[in-house]
Amino acid sequence: MWDVIVIGTGFGGAVSAARLAQAGLRVLVLERGPWWGAARGQHPPDAPRRAWPRGVGLRRALRSVRWARDGRSGEWLARRDGLYELHLFDGLGTLTGSGVGGGSLIYTNIQQPADDALWSRAPEALRGGAMAPWYARVRATLRPAPLDPPPRRTAAFADAVAASGLGEVALPELAIAQADPAQSNAAGIMQPPCNMCGGCVVGCERGSKSTLDLTYIPLATAAGAEVRALCEVVALGARRRGPGYVVRWRDHQTGGERQAEASRVVVAAGTLNTLRLLLGARERDRSLTRLSEALGRGFTGNGDALSALWTERDNDTTGLAPAFNAFVRRPGFLIGEAGLPTQALGAPRWLTRPLDRLALLIAMGEDGAQGEARWLGGGVGVRLRRAQDRRLYDEIDGALGHLAMAWGAQLEAGIGVGGGPLRAALASVHPLGGARMAERPAEGVVDADGEVFGHPGLFVADGSILPAAPGVPPSMTIAALAERIAAGIAARG
C-alpha cells in the first residue's frame, strides 16, 4: 500500500509528487501519456520514449478525441502515445496535452500570478496575500523571466496597442532557459538557451523550455517517487476495509488493467479528466456518493478566445521568437500576441512567407464561470456558451476591433469573437473549475487544503479546483496551489 498515489503529472500532479516524495512519503505517480523528447536523455533508462511530432511523425500528434452532445458521449483513441487530446462539446472545443509533464509540454511558458479578484472568491484561508509564499516556491523552481530583448513581432504588436489606446504592453515572465551557455536548472538538469524556434506549443526539442519533466518530476524521482508512464487511470473508489482509496488504471504498454491502494490520493489529471474520474466515481461507487452536489458546477474556459488579423504590413510572425511574448491588460481580460510554430515544424519559407502578415491574437478573461460538467454514460459533457457571459466577449470584441483598425487589418476571423461563422462557438486551452474550492460542501467540492469534503485523504490539485476564472494563464496558480496542498498533506505525516 502506497502512502500517496498521484494521478497526473501536470502543474498540479508534478508539484504534488515532488513535494510529497521530498517529505519522505512513498509516492506512486500515474501518467496516461509517454515520456516525450528522447533526445534530451533525461528520462529513466527503461522508460518508453517518444520523439516530438515532426514531419512524418506528425501522426503522433493526436492522442484521442472525446465528444459529448445530445445526451451521449464517446471517445476515439487515435494513438495511446499521442501528444494532444481534443474534447468536443456542444458549443465548446478544448485542446489539452498528454505526457509526462502534462500541459507544460505544450503551454506557452507564461508564469503569471492570478489577481486578487480570484482569491476574493476563494476560502478565507487563501485571501490577503496568503498565496504569496507558494507562488515564490514555484518561481524558485521554474525561474521565469521576461524575454530580453523582445522579438520583432512584439514591436509590431506594441505599436498597434499604442495606436489603439488600449494601454501599455507587458512582457510576461517565461519559464525558458535564456542564459548562454547551458546552465543547470533547479533540478540539476542542464538546459541550453532557447533558440527562438517558436515550437513551444508543439514540444521543445532542445530542452530549453522548463517543462515539468525537466524540473519538478526529476525532483520527485530523486526523492524516491515512482513515475509510471502510459498508465491511464480509469476508476477511483474507497477501500472496502479501512481508510484509503483504490486506484485502477489501464497499462497501455501491456494492454492490461492494474490497481493499487493508498491512504491518500491526489487527483490532478487535468480538469476534464479529473471531473470524469470524480463524476464517474460518484455515479458508480457507492462509497463516493457523498461527493458534493456542486461537482461539475462553475466550469469555465477562462474566457479564452482566438482571433487572426490579416494586416497590411509584415509582422514577421514566423520569425525567431517563443510562442507568446507580450500582452495588454484590460479590466477583466487580456489580449496577447502569439506566433505560429512553422519554423519548429520545418515548413519551407516559400510556404510561410504569406503568413508574415498574419497576427494571431489570444484573449483570456474573467468569465462568469457559469458552465457545468455532467456525467453522460461513461464520459463528461459540458455546457458552456458565449451567451453565458456576453458582456465579457463583447468587450473583447471591442478591443480587438480597435487593434484591427490600428494594425490596418484586412480580415478578422475568430473563435468566440469577431464576426465570422465561429463567433458563437468557444475554444479553450484552459478548461478550469467544476471541483472548485469553497468553505462548505454546498458551494464547492474541496476545502482550502484541496481535500474533498466528506472524503478524508482524497485531494484534488489541478485547475478544476479554481474558484473562478483567473483571466490569465493559470499554470503558475495551479502549481502554487499544489505547493500549498502538498505541504498540508506532508505536515500530517
Side-chain angles (χ1 to χ4, degrees):
M1 183 166 172
W2 298 85
D3 293 327
V4 186
I5 296 177
V6 177
I7 304 172
T9 58
F11 283 99
V15 172
S16 300
R19 301 313 184 197
L20 293 173
Q22 289 173 334
L25 299 177
R26 294 182 64 249
V27 179
L28 172 64
V29 186
L30 300 172
E31 165 59 49
R32 66 175 182 169
W35 290 89
W36 286 96
R40 288 179 287 179
Q42 305 295 347
H43 313 93
D46 59 343
R49 307 178 185 185
R50 300 294 183 274
W52 295 108
R54 299 288 191 275
V56 295
L58 282 174
R59 65 186 186 280
R60 290 190 297 270
L62 182 63
R63 179 193 189 273
S64 59
V65 178
R66 295 183 188 271
W67 57 270
R69 61 183 307 160
D70 300 327
R72 297 180 299 167
S73 66
E75 177 188 14
W76 174 59
L77 181 63
R79 293 182 64 94
R80 58 186 173 83
D81 58 352
L83 180 59
Y84 301 98
E85 181 168 77
L86 180 64
H87 290 82
L88 298 175
F89 305 112
D90 186 11
L92 171 69
T94 73
L95 186 69
T96 55
S98 180
V100 178
S104 77
L105 301 173
I106 59 171
Y107 87 133
T108 57
N109 317 309
I110 296 176
Q111 293 293 300
Q112 177 78 23
D115 296 338
D116 290 341
L118 176 71
W119 306 117
S120 68
R121 300 183 63 178
E124 185 70 30
L126 301 177
R127 302 176 189 174
M131 288 299 298
W134 308 110
Y135 278 119
R137 291 204 77 180
V138 177
R139 188 180 302 278
T141 303
L142 298 181
R143 302 176 181 176
L147 187 64
D148 185 25
R152 176 185 170 187
R153 76 163 190 260
T154 295
F157 175 69
D159 289 346
V161 168
S164 64
L166 292 177
E168 293 187 4
V169 164
L171 300 180
E173 292 188 303
L174 304 179
I176 58 175
Q178 300 186 50
D180 191 10
Q183 297 189 17
S184 176
N185 68 15
I189 292 176
M190 298 298 292
Q191 288 186 251
C194 175
N195 67 353
M196 309 298 163
C197 74
C200 312
V201 296
V202 293
C204 177
E205 291 187 301
R206 285 172 60 84
S208 304
K209 183 177 180 177
S210 298
T211 50
L212 300 171
D213 58 325
L214 296 182
T215 52
Y216 279 99
I217 290 296
L219 292 174
T221 55
E226 182 177 333
V227 178
R228 298 184 188 176
L230 290 170
C231 291
E232 181 178 11
V233 174
V234 295
L236 169 68
R239 294 181 66 211
R240 293 187 177 181
R241 294 185 178 86
Y245 299 89
V246 179
V247 176
R248 182 162 53 88
W249 68 90
R250 182 176 298 114
D251 188 327
H252 285 296
Q253 296 182 77
T254 65
E257 288 198 356
R258 301 184 62 185
Q259 68 177 42
E261 298 181 352
S263 55
R264 284 153 290 191
V265 170
V266 178
V267 186
T271 294
L272 288 167
N273 287 312
T274 287
L275 293 177
R276 178 174 55 85
L277 287 172
L278 294 178
L279 287 165
R282 187 174 67 181
E283 182 76 15
R284 298 179 299 201
D285 192 311
R286 293 184 179 180
S287 62
L288 296 182
T289 55
R290 296 193 309 278
L291 283 167
S292 169
E293 288 299 316
L295 179 61
R297 299 175 191 166
F299 181 90
T300 167
N302 199 36
D304 286 4
L306 176 67
S307 183
L309 305 181
W310 290 98
T311 70
E312 294 179 351
R313 57 180 172 175
D314 188 338
N315 300 292
D316 195 19
T317 55
T318 58
L320 298 178
F324 194 121
N325 304 281
F327 60 79
V328 59
R329 296 293 297 269
R330 301 292 297 167
F333 67 94
L334 65 79
I335 296 175
E337 59 88 12
L340 299 170
T342 50
Q343 178 172 321
L345 292 175
R349 186 65 180 133
W350 63 265
L351 182 62
T352 63
R353 179 65 187 174
L355 299 178
D356 287 353
R357 296 176 61 191
L358 174 68
L360 189 63
L361 303 179
I362 298 175
M364 303 171 206
E366 300 167 15
D367 67 22
Q370 297 299 313
E372 183 173 2
R374 54 197 177 94
W375 183 252
L376 288 177
V380 171
V382 171
R383 181 174 178 80
L384 184 68
R385 297 178 182 278
R386 174 189 165 110
Q388 289 173 267
D389 198 335
R390 190 179 301 278
R391 178 198 57 80
L392 171 69
Y393 291 103
D394 285 349
E395 290 182 1
I396 292 175
D397 266 348
L400 288 172
H402 289 301
L403 265 177
M405 184 177 297
W407 223 322
Q410 296 176 329
L411 173 68
E412 179 180 342
I415 301 177
V417 292
L422 296 178
R423 173 186 172 89
L426 294 179
S428 175
V429 293
H430 303 123
L432 304 168
R436 54 189 176 184
M437 310 179 95
E439 298 283 4
R440 54 192 64 87
E443 301 167 352
V445 178
V446 304
D447 61 19
D449 297 322
E451 191 166 25
V452 176
F453 289 117
H455 296 280
L458 180 59
F459 297 83
V460 184
D462 61 16
S464 66
I465 67 174
L466 294 190
V472 299
S475 57
M476 193 179 200
T477 294
I478 296 169
L481 281 171
E483 288 273 13
R484 185 181 186 278
I485 291 168
I489 296 172
R492 301 183 191 185

